[in-house]
Amino acid sequence: MRLSVQPICFQVLADRYAAPGESLAAQVYARVAHALAQAEPLDKRAEISRLFRRNLENGAIGAGRIMANAGTAAHATMVNCFVQPVGGGRSGLSFADGIAEACKTLAMGGGVGYDFSPLPPAAADADASSAAPAVCQAIDRYEEACANLRSAGSRRGAQMAVLSCSHPDILEFAGAKRGRRRWRTFNVSVAVTDAFLDAVERDDAWALEHAARPGAAAIAAGAVRSESGLWRYRVESARAIWDEICRQALHSSEPGLLYIDTIKRTNNLRALESIRATNPCGEQPLPEYGCCVLGPIDLSRLVRHPFGVAAPPEIDLARLGGMVRTQVRMLDNVIDLTRWPLPAQEQEARAKRRIGVGVTGLADMLAMMRLRYDSESGRACAQAVARCIRDHAYAASAALAAERGPFPLYRAQDYLAAGAIGDTLPQEARQAIAEHGLRNSHLVSYAPTGSVSLAFADNCSNGIEPAYGWSYRRRLRVGGESPVEMTAENHAWRLWKRLHPGQSAPPGYFLGAADIAPEDHVAMLAALQPYVDASISKTVPVPGDWPVERVQALFMRGWRAGLKGLTIFRPDPGLEAVMSPAPDATAPGGSPAQDCRICG
C-alpha cells in the first residue's frame, strides 16, 4: 500500500542524498543504479542497471555514502567506514602522518575507527615515547583535526576510539567523556578479552602492561618488566577496573564493549589478519586500512497481508533471497568504482572485497507480522530472515566468483574446514563455494540506518532497533543551518492507521524501545549474531535508575551469548535530545536516536 511522502522524509532526501536536479527518490535510484552498473561489461550495463534500479525501488538500498555519491562528481567515497592505524604505534607511521591519513578519509566522507592501544601510557618515559602523545592526548589531537575539517565545510566526521583492557590508561580513557563535552566526534569502546572477563568473575588481579618504557615515577611506584617482555605498570583488581568501566557506561552511555576475542575467533580471515578495532558504529570489525561497503534491505516491504487484514501475514522469503543476490552484486561493484582516500585502503579492499548486506525495518516487520519484539516467536521470525540473508548472500558471492573470480586472498580452508562458516550454510551454497570460491570475504553486517530509513523507507524502524515511537518531533539540521523540528511518524504505525481507520491506540505488539527489557534487547542481538559474519550495531536502552550491578550483569550476558559488542544508553535529562514526543502522540518508546553520521 502506497503512503504519502512525509515532509521530514522529503527534507532528508533533498538535504543529504539528492544530487543537483533531483527531488524524488526515484531519481536517486536511477542515478545510483546507472552509476553502479558501470562495473559491468558494456553489453550488460543496461540490463544490470534496470536490475539494480528495481532492487532499489523494492527496498534494497545502499548506505548513505552510496546514495549520496554514486554517479556524482563529488570528490567523495562511496565506502562508509574504515579502520586505520594510529601514527606513532606499531604501524611505522609518524603520529603526524596518522592524523593526515585520517583527515583524508574523513574529508571524503568516510568514518574511521582506531586502536589507540599501541600509544604510550601517560606514565611512560617522555623521551622514549616522544614519537606520539599518550592515549587521551592523542585522541584530543584527532578530535581537533576532525573538528577543523567540519568547520571547513566537510560532512561531519565520525570516529571510533578503541583501547585494550590491558592498557595502563584504561581508567582515564573510560571516564574521559564524563561530565564534559570531550571527544564529540568519537564513540569510545573498550576491547575486553576473555582472560579479563574470566579474571572479573574469579575476582583476580589484572596486570596493566605496555611496551613503552615507564618514566621514573612509574618505576618508583613499582613498574617492572614482566615475563611477556612488556612493562607491567601496575596490578589492580579486575573487578575494580570492571566496576569503573560499567559505572562510566551507565553515566555517559560510553564506553561500549568490544568482545575482542569473540571477534577474532569468529572472523572468516582469522588466519590472515589481526582485528583490534571497528568502524565508528561498531557493525564492522576491521584490520588496519580495512573498510566496509554497506547496503540495507527494508524488511517492512516484504510482509504479505500486513497485520493480517486480508489473510494471515507472512514474509516473502523467496523475494528476499532474490533481493539479497542482487544486493551482493551491486555492493561488489562499489569496490571497483568508488574513489579511495588512500591507496592502502584500495589495496586492502580489493584483496578481500568485504561487503555488508544489512537490514532496516526489523521492528516494523515484526509488528506487521503481529509479533512482539521481545517474544520467542518474534526472535524466531527475525532469525528466519537473518538466515535467509546469510545463505543467499554466500550463494550469490559464490556465483559471482564463478563469473569474476574469487577475492585474491581466498583460501578454501578458511570457509570449508571443520568449524568454519561453511558448516552453517546449506549444502547447495557449500558446494558452490567448493567449486568456485567466494567473491567476498565477508557478506553480512547490520548497521544503523537512521537517515536512509527516513529518506527512502518512510521512517521505518532503524536497523534492528525497535521504533523510538509512533509520532514524535525530530530535530533536523538542514543545509548546515540551525536545527529545526519536524514531525515524524513511524512507517508501520502509519500503515496500521490506514488499514484500521477510526482506531487510535496501537495494539500490544507495537513496542517502543523503552517498553522492552534490556535483557530482551540483548536476546534479539544474540538471536541474530550467528547469521552475521561481521557484527551488529545496536544500542540497549536501560532505565534511568538502573544500578551498576545490572549493567555489569547485562555486559556479562552479552559476552556469554556470543555477541561481538554491546553498548547501553541511559536517558540523561541534562542532555539535549534529538527526538522528543509529539504533543498529541501515543507514548513513544524513548530510545536513543541511533543515526550514525556515516553509516546512516
Side-chain angles (χ1 to χ4, degrees):
M1 178 179 291
R2 188 173 297 275
L3 299 171
S4 61
V5 178
Q6 299 185 63
I8 190 171
C9 298
F10 179 85
Q11 187 62 63
V12 171
L13 173 72
D15 186 55
R16 300 194 183 186
Y17 302 111
E22 296 173 349
S23 60
L24 303 174
Q27 295 170 313
V28 178
Y29 298 151
R31 165 175 52 82
V32 171
H34 175 78
L36 298 186
Q38 301 311 298
E40 305 288 340
L42 186 60
D43 62 346
K44 294 181 63 176
R45 288 179 187 173
E47 172 194 351
I48 297 300
S49 178
R50 288 191 294 270
L51 179 68
F52 288 168
R53 181 172 181 173
R54 192 159 54 246
N55 219 38
L56 288 159
E57 291 170 344
N58 287 336
I61 53 182
R65 299 303 84 217
I66 294 174
M67 304 307 286
N69 297 330
T72 73
H75 184 64
T77 182
M78 288 188 276
V79 179
N80 284 71
C81 300
F82 301 82
V83 162
Q84 293 178 200
V86 172
R90 66 175 73 87
S91 65
L93 283 176
S94 71
F95 185 73
D97 285 345
I99 289 184
E101 288 193 344
C103 287
K104 287 180 181 178
T105 303
L106 293 164
M108 287 185 66
V112 190
Y114 323 85
D115 173 28
F116 283 90
S117 305
L119 297 192
D125 185 305
D127 293 333
S129 61
S130 59
V135 168
C136 292
Q137 290 69 41
I139 299 173
D140 288 338
R141 298 271 295 277
Y142 273 77
E143 170 79 2
E144 181 182 4
C146 184
N148 287 340
L149 281 176
R150 186 170 71 252
S151 66
S154 298
R155 176 181 170 88
R156 184 183 180 190
Q159 304 183 85
M160 167 71 87
V162 177
L163 195 67
S164 166
C165 60
S166 297
H167 196 283
D169 288 353
I170 187 61
L171 295 180
E172 181 187 357
F173 173 83
K177 286 196 169 185
R178 185 181 180 104
R180 49 182 166 162
R181 300 169 74 84
R182 191 179 186 186
W183 302 348
R184 296 183 66 190
T185 68
F186 272 95
N187 295 326
V188 299
S189 290
V190 175
V192 292
T193 61
D194 292 350
F196 173 70
L197 295 172
D198 285 337
V200 171
E201 290 192 313
R202 294 193 304 263
D203 196 16
D204 285 348
W206 185 250
L208 298 175
E209 300 180 330
H210 201 274
R213 187 173 73 238
I219 291 176
V224 297
R225 183 81 73 173
S226 70
E227 295 177 358
S228 67
L230 299 175
W231 284 96
R232 180 166 294 170
Y233 278 66
R234 64 188 188 277
V235 176
E236 296 197 8
S237 159
R239 283 191 183 173
I241 297 170
W242 176 244
D243 180 74
E244 185 61 20
I245 290 171
C246 294
R247 286 184 186 279
Q248 297 298 342
L250 182 61
H251 179 274
S252 306
S253 300
E254 293 188 82
L257 296 188
L258 298 180
Y259 302 110
I260 197 67
D261 287 334
T262 303
I263 287 172
K264 293 177 178 179
R265 189 166 49 246
T266 57
N267 178 19
N268 288 345
L269 297 185
R270 57 189 173 274
L272 301 179
E273 64 184 17
S274 178
I275 290 181
R276 300 182 182 89
T278 73
N279 71 316
C281 300
E283 74 275 3
Q284 195 80 32
L286 294 166
E288 291 181 346
Y289 295 114
C291 72
C292 51
V293 180
L294 303 174
I297 295 175
D298 179 5
L299 300 179
S300 72
R301 303 280 293 276
L302 295 163
V303 180
R304 293 176 176 153
H305 317 301
F307 307 109
V309 171
E314 59 181 0
I315 298 170
D316 192 340
L317 292 179
R319 183 180 173 205
L320 173 60
M323 292 172 70
V324 169
R325 289 172 183 255
T326 300
Q327 190 79 328
V328 166
R329 188 181 196 99
M330 187 181 83
L331 297 180
D332 186 68
N333 284 6
V334 171
I335 296 170
D336 295 324
L337 294 169
T338 191
R339 297 176 177 90
W340 295 97
L342 302 171
Q345 295 162 345
E346 181 175 10
Q347 293 165 11
E348 172 73 18
R350 288 182 180 273
K352 300 169 184 174
R353 307 192 71 86
R354 267 180 169 91
I355 63 172
V357 178
V359 301
T360 193
L362 173 71
D364 279 19
M365 178 199 79
L366 293 177
M368 293 160 72
M369 291 290 293
R370 301 184 299 190
L371 297 172
R372 290 175 60 100
Y373 188 98
D374 60 358
S375 67
E376 287 287 350
S377 56
R379 290 190 287 270
C381 179
Q383 277 187 317
V385 167
R387 183 186 298 110
C388 177
I389 291 170
R390 181 203 60 188
D391 292 352
H392 282 277
Y394 272 84
S397 189
L400 267 186
E403 179 183 337
R404 299 175 172 177
F407 68 91
L409 293 183
Y410 172 77
R411 305 186 315 170
Q413 65 265 37
D414 294 331
Y415 296 88
L416 299 176
I421 194 167
D423 283 351
T424 67
L425 297 173
Q427 181 58 34
E428 181 181 356
R430 183 181 172 87
Q431 183 61 38
I433 295 169
E435 291 182 16
H436 308 298
L438 286 165
R439 181 66 173 169
N440 315 94
S441 67
H442 299 72
L443 285 140
V444 186
S445 181
Y446 290 178
T449 60
S451 293
V452 290
S453 294
L454 269 168
F456 303 107
D458 189 42
N459 192 34
C460 68
S461 56
N462 166 11
I464 73 159
E465 300 282 359
Y468 170 77
W470 320 128
S471 179
Y472 55 91
R473 300 285 289 174
R474 178 170 180 143
R475 283 192 302 110
L476 195 66
R477 188 180 296 275
V478 179
E481 302 296 329
S482 298
V484 296
E485 275 203 354
M486 299 185 73
T487 298
E489 282 195 294
N490 168 260
H491 169 71
W493 174 235
R494 295 184 79 210
L495 183 58
W496 190 88
K497 289 193 299 180
R498 173 69 67 85
L499 296 172
H500 300 83
Q503 299 188 40
S504 59
Y509 48 76
F510 271 87
L511 293 178
D515 302 323
I516 299 165
E519 293 79 6
D520 286 319
H521 283 275
V522 171
M524 180 60 82
L525 276 165
L528 297 176
Q529 185 61 75
Y531 306 100
V532 179
D533 56 17
S535 191
I536 303 171
S537 180
K538 175 169 173 31
T539 300
V540 176
V542 302
D545 59 353
W546 246 40
V548 69
E549 292 79 12
R550 295 286 297 276
V551 176
Q552 293 169 340
L554 194 74
F555 279 147
M556 282 292 185
R557 181 189 291 258
W559 173 50
R560 295 190 190 98
L563 303 188
K564 296 183 180 181
L566 188 58
T567 301
I568 65 168
F569 173 82
R570 183 178 67 90
D572 184 349
L575 295 178
E576 188 177 12
V578 174
M579 300 190 292
S580 59
D584 59 347
T586 304
S591 68
Q594 191 174 14
D595 172 12
C596 179
R597 295 186 293 271
I598 297 299
C599 302

